[in-house]
């Protein structure tokens, strides 16, 4: 019997990965290649587009080798990628015209400030579901056009192609045949009208981005051309594309409203299915397009992020030196029965949703002479869980149905104590799947469904399996007390610094 193989490319912020997945959803081979981060000035973050491509090529070759197959054995290719990062290249030669400006890059804060002062924020929010922030692609593209002599004129003549990382990879994989993106990535640019499902001419004008340089946008599950034989070694259809967070939501088999996934990495990213109606969210949560959009109609996802999650554990390791490795935090925290009255608010870089205070700064509160390392370790894990509880509560106010369980992934989701605390403090079950590589699995599922390996999202959701379920065990009154304590601590950190 011949086996169906799908290749999932996961082009992330610090490394490019590839995964070969078979028709049962099992992972047969992996590749991962880190690449260079460029920090040319404070607040600037750049990637070399050629290195993004070469690291992806190597990751693919490694994954295929590990699976013991060749490119000709693949039924389909799926792509997921770091979102918002922008790349511009020459349509004729395919040469990048500048380094990629990465999502973390803050250089366009001034441009956002000017647009805000001119009163554009509300209309932008209504059209795009996003906030006016340098994080998103539009002002980054505006910067490239302004700072690279001649690029604007060339772009207006149609000689320049631009896009997010998915577009760049599709272009390279197809040997320059296709200039495409998917709705999930487009919805993170500030240039895409998420109600109409197309590029917004008014926003393109406002941000000074010629429409001619943008890719065609289409559903995540749809034909994105075929890989080029000289480039890839075989002609294989590219059939699934989605930005990393939406791909992870799909990979966690969250297909009905109220289902949500939380990723615990450096920061945490909570995404929930929001249904088919776009209503402007509260608390500066973001509304984006989901991976099923455009197939049976619109589909939206609500998104909130916490800047510091696993990074707090790194801080305990690298700055306080109370643990040697991140995973040691669990055993240390277990040696204390409770937090001993200690609360940590890790507002190292301000607070994100639902507070949005760039001037908040971190604090350790409630110290007594008896407080020790174990209490601090415990309070750190609680802080990660409590930050996500605030997101869940904020989201419940904007969702058609409240979140009933959290499907988790990311490095810190391996921590059982943290996951139990999360279930207790959120008051809902926390479910850790067998495969925590949700992002790549999401891309594989999208591509596989479109290529006919699986019949539907419902079928792939039957491939998803829970590894462990953490049920909430804390009583309502204790939970309310702990949340009250946390809110009082957060209050004290707000508006602390004099500058952002
Ligand atoms: P990213 O993709 O943002 O680089 P990962 O998903 O790889 O992050 O997760 C790494 C983060 O998780 C680090 O910040 C690390 O401190 C944290 N981490 C890893 N293992 C644990 C653990 N067992 N308990 C708590 N935090 C952990």
């Amino acid at each position: 019997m011949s086996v169906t193989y799908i290749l999932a490319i996961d082009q992330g912020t610090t490394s490019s990965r590839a995964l070969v997945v078979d028709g049962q959803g099992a992972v047969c081979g992996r590749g991962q290649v880190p690449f260079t981060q460029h920090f040319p000035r404070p607040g600037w973050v750049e990637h070399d587009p050629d290195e993004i491509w070469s690291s992806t090529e190597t990751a693919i070759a490694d994954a295929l080798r590990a699976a013991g197959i060749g490119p000709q054995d693949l039924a389909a290719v799926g792509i997921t990628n770091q979102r918002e990062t922008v790349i511009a290249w020459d349509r004729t030669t395919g040469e990048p015209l500048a380094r990629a400006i990465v999502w973390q890059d803050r250089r366009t804060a001034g441009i956002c400030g000017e647009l805000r002062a001119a009163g554009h924020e509300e209309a932008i929010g209504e059209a795009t579901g996003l906030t006016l922030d340098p994080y998103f692609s539009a002002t980054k593209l505006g910067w490239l056009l302004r700072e690279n002599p001649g690029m604007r004129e060339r772009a207006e003549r149609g000689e320049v192609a631009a896009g997010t990382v998915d577009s760049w990879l599709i272009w390279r994989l197809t040997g320059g045949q296709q200039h495409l993106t998917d709705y999930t990535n487009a919805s993170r640019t500030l240039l895409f009208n998420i109600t109409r499902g197309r590029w917004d001419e008014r926003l393109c004008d406002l941000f000074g981005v010629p429409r001619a340089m943008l890719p065609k946008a289409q559903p995540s599950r749809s034909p994105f051309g075929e890989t080029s034989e000289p480039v890839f070694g075989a002609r294989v259809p590219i059939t699934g594309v989605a930005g990393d967070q939406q791909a992870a939501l799909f990979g966690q088999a969250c297909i009905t409203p109220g289902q949500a996934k939380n990723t615990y990495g450096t920061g945490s990213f909570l995404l929930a299915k929001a249904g088919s109606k776009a209503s402007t969210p509260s608390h500066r949560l973001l509304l984006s397009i989901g991976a099923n959009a455009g197939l049976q109609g619109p589909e939206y996802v609500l998104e909130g992020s916490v800047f510091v999650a696993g990074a707090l554990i790194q801080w305990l390791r690298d700055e306080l030196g109370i643990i040697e490795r991140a995973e040691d935090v669990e055993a240390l925290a277990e040696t204390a029965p409770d937090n001993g009255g200690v609360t940590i608010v890790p507002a190292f870089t301000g607070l994100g949703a639902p507070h949005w205070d760039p001037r908040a700064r971190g604090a350790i509160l409630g110290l007594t002479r008896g407080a020790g390392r174990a209490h601090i370790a415990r309070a750190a894990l609680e802080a990660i869980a409590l930050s996500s509880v605030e997101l869940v509560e904020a989201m419940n106010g904007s969702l058609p149905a409240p979140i009933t369980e959290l499907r988790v992934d990311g490095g810190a989701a391996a921590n059982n104590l943290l996951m139990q605390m999360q279930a207790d403090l959120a008051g809902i079950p926390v479910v850790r799947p067998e495969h925590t590589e949700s992002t790549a699995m999401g891309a594989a599922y999208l591509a596989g469904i479109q290529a006919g390996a699986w019949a539907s999202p419902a079928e792939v959701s039957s491939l998803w399996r829970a590894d462990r379920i953490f049920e909430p065990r804390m009583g309502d009154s204790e939970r309310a007390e702990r949340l009250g304590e946390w809110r009082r601590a957060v209050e004290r950190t707000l508006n602390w610094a004099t500058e952002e």
Side-chain angles (χ1 to χ4, degrees):
M1 197 181 79
S2 80
V3 182
T4 304
Y5 293 105
I6 315 284
L7 175 75
I9 297 170
D10 176 4
Q11 205 301 307
T13 309
T14 58
S15 71
S16 302
R17 303 180 203 211
L19 220 61
V20 175
V21 176
D22 72 14
Q24 272 69 51
V27 177
C28 316
R30 286 183 176 79
Q32 178 168 6
V33 182
F35 59 88
T36 319
Q37 308 289 311
H38 298 273
F39 306 108
R41 292 193 205 176
W44 292 32
V45 188
E46 297 180 347
H47 292 160
D48 175 351
D50 285 325
E51 204 186 349
I52 286 182
W53 170 243
S54 60
S55 58
T56 302
E57 273 191 306
T58 310
I60 294 171
D62 291 350
L64 291 174
R65 196 175 316 109
I69 62 169
Q72 70 286 350
D73 300 316
L74 292 167
V77 174
I79 299 173
T80 179
N81 56 286
Q82 50 166 322
R83 303 175 303 173
E84 298 101 12
T85 300
V86 297
I87 300 176
W89 64 96
D90 185 307
R91 257 188 214 284
T92 312
T93 65
E95 289 300 317
L97 298 172
R99 283 217 191 117
I101 305 184
V102 178
W103 58 274
Q104 296 150 322
D105 191 295
R106 305 298 296 173
R107 78 182 67 173
T108 59
I111 304 177
C112 291
E114 284 163 24
L115 291 166
R116 194 170 297 118
H120 293 297
E121 189 163 29
E122 199 179 324
I124 292 173
E126 267 168 29
T128 65
L130 306 175
T131 57
L132 184 50
D133 192 279
Y135 187 86
F136 305 107
S137 316
T139 53
K140 298 183 198 294
L141 277 175
W143 176 280
L144 286 179
L145 289 158
R146 199 178 75 189
E147 298 297 316
N148 290 281
M151 195 193 281
R152 178 173 303 282
E153 294 70 28
R154 295 196 59 210
E156 275 160 4
R157 287 200 299 269
E159 295 168 17
V160 176
T164 38
V165 172
D166 54 312
S167 294
W168 172 240
L169 294 179
I170 294 167
W171 176 275
R172 295 300 305 249
L173 285 164
T174 61
Q177 293 303 301
Q178 303 290 345
H179 185 210
L180 302 170
T181 190
D182 87 298
Y183 291 156
T184 67
N185 275 294
S187 73
R188 307 292 296 183
T189 60
L190 279 179
L191 298 170
F192 201 71
N193 187 304
I194 61 166
T195 318
R196 298 204 183 110
R198 54 181 147 87
W199 299 114
D200 190 310
E201 295 291 345
R202 220 168 28 114
L203 293 177
C204 290
D205 289 346
L206 183 66
F207 289 105
V209 175
R211 174 67 190 82
M213 77 192 299
L214 295 175
K216 177 175 168 279
Q218 58 184 58
S220 291
R221 279 195 276 132
S222 61
F224 289 84
E226 281 185 341
T227 58
S228 137
E229 190 158 357
V231 174
F232 192 75
R235 289 167 70 93
V236 183
I238 303 169
T239 51
V241 175
D244 53 12
Q245 296 305 320
Q246 288 100 322
L249 189 66
F250 197 73
Q252 285 275 26
C254 294
I255 56 171
T256 54
Q259 287 187 312
K261 70 95 199 166
N262 201 14
T263 302
Y264 301 81
T266 307
S268 39
F269 279 96
L270 180 59
L271 262 78
K273 295 269 296 184
S276 57
K277 219 174 126 277
S279 48
T280 312
S282 60
H283 298 97
R284 296 193 62 175
L285 295 169
L286 307 172
L287 195 68
S288 297
I289 298 184
N292 262 325
L295 297 158
Q296 271 107 37
E299 183 205 80
Y300 298 99
V301 297
L302 194 60
E303 175 170 335
S305 49
V306 175
F307 303 143
V308 175
L312 176 57
I313 307 306
Q314 290 171 5
W315 184 76
L316 298 187
R317 183 192 62 196
D318 303 337
E319 305 304 327
L320 295 194
I322 62 173
I323 46 172
E324 238 175 73
R325 300 166 312 159
E327 52 268 41
D328 298 340
V329 71
E330 186 169 356
L332 176 60
E334 294 275 16
T335 63
D338 55 37
N339 64 17
V342 178
T343 301
I344 303 180
V345 183
F348 295 145
T349 52
L351 286 171
H355 305 284
W356 282 99
D357 182 359
R359 297 200 294 169
R361 287 296 177 272
I364 304 183
L365 291 139
L367 293 174
T368 60
R369 184 61 186 83
R373 302 150 69 229
H375 299 116
I376 289 181
R378 222 177 160 92
L381 294 176
E382 287 176 356
I384 298 174
L386 285 159
S387 305
S388 286
V389 173
E390 287 194 301
L391 280 186
V392 171
E393 288 187 339
M395 281 197 175
N396 282 346
S398 295
L399 285 170
I403 295 171
T404 48
E405 71 173 31
L406 277 184
R407 296 189 169 184
V408 298
D409 50 55
N415 188 313
N416 292 328
L417 179 60
L418 171 63
M419 295 300 103
Q420 186 58 50
M421 286 173 173
Q422 186 69 82
D424 287 342
L425 293 164
I428 51 175
V430 164
V431 185
R432 189 167 60 203
E434 264 174 19
H435 285 301
T436 48
E437 292 162 305
S438 317
T439 311
M441 290 310 285
Y445 291 159
L446 288 167
I449 296 171
Q450 178 68 18
W454 301 297
S456 64
E459 187 179 328
V460 293
S461 78
S462 71
L463 299 172
W464 180 92
R465 278 195 190 74
D467 165 49
R468 185 155 167 192
I469 301 177
F470 299 84
E471 294 287 350
R473 294 196 297 233
M474 187 179 276
D476 288 345
S477 62
E478 188 182 350
R479 181 179 314 122
E481 197 180 308
R482 303 289 294 284
L483 285 172
E485 225 168 64
W486 167 255
R487 289 199 180 97
R488 278 197 295 133
V490 167
E491 254 337 282
R492 306 224 165 171
T493 67
L494 297 177
N495 212 13
W496 182 264
T498 46
E499 282 183 32
E500 288 189 18

